[in-house]
Amino acid sequence: MHISRMKLAKSLPLLLLGVILSGCTITQNVRPMAEAVAIDVLYIEENPATHMAALLPEMVNHLRASGFNVEVVAQGGSPIDAYYMTYTANWRWDMAMYLYYFKATLVRKGQVLAEAEYDARSGGGSPNKFGATMDKIRPLLDEMLANARPDQVD
């Protein structure tokens, strides 16, 4: 099969664009809790290294709206036998601030029970990286805690 130089010259920019854009992926990975559990108090360990003051209150509000009794504690301040969540988040600038990386981990007695991750580190050229942080995080938290139900103790 013979391809003319003219056809090759016309298709080369499209091919290069396809190669460039294929490296612009944003991944979302969730490992939900394997078993159904009732959580009386869900502790969230504050992470001052996130540098985004609104993130923690928004996470707390979302989890409370889902019915969970949430308490915020300092890093390392959760009771060992309790369900607690740690998180990390990073932002970058590219015409606007955007969520670059987020990971939440649910732990009890030193064992990781569930994880959720949003990763835009390879999404440099993707316009999907822009948008409200909680719009990206909320569905991940919901999926991560799909097998958990609030245990309302009176």
Side-chain angles (χ1 to χ4, degrees):
M1 183 182 285
H2 177 62
I3 299 175
S4 72
R5 285 187 172 164
M6 184 66 110
K7 283 186 178 182
L8 184 60
K10 287 181 180 180
S11 60
L12 190 58
L14 289 175
L15 179 64
L16 288 174
L17 181 63
V19 169
I20 291 169
L21 290 179
S22 68
C24 301
T25 57
I26 295 172
T27 58
Q28 298 178 27
N29 297 301
V30 177
R31 184 173 60 97
M33 297 181 68
E35 299 177 11
V37 297
I39 298 177
D40 56 345
V41 177
L42 177 56
Y43 294 91
I44 299 180
E45 293 191 359
E46 189 173 19
N47 182 351
T50 59
H51 304 294
M52 185 66 73
L55 177 64
L56 180 58
E58 287 188 35
M59 287 174 42
V60 169
N61 288 340
H62 174 67
L63 293 168
R64 285 183 177 154
S66 298
F68 291 99
N69 179 13
V70 179
E71 289 188 30
V72 176
V73 296
Q75 275 184 329
S78 298
I80 189 71
D81 61 341
Y83 291 94
Y84 65 93
M85 184 181 295
T86 61
Y87 66 95
T88 188
N90 304 106
W91 286 263
R92 292 286 188 268
W93 176 263
D94 181 7
M95 297 185 296
M97 290 295 288
Y98 68 95
L99 182 63
Y100 185 66
Y101 183 80
F102 171 83
K103 184 172 184 177
T105 306
L106 184 68
V107 180
R108 183 171 189 221
K109 295 181 179 179
Q111 180 182 5
V112 174
L113 302 175
E115 295 177 304
E117 180 183 54
Y118 173 89
D119 189 350
R121 293 178 291 189
S122 296
S126 173
N128 294 332
K129 66 186 177 187
F130 300 111
T133 296
M134 282 309 293
D135 289 345
K136 298 171 185 329
I137 293 173
R138 194 177 298 114
L140 300 177
L141 294 175
D142 290 346
E143 186 177 345
M144 182 175 93
L145 296 171
N147 288 328
R149 64 174 171 73
D151 185 16
Q152 304 298 337
V153 178
D154 296 323

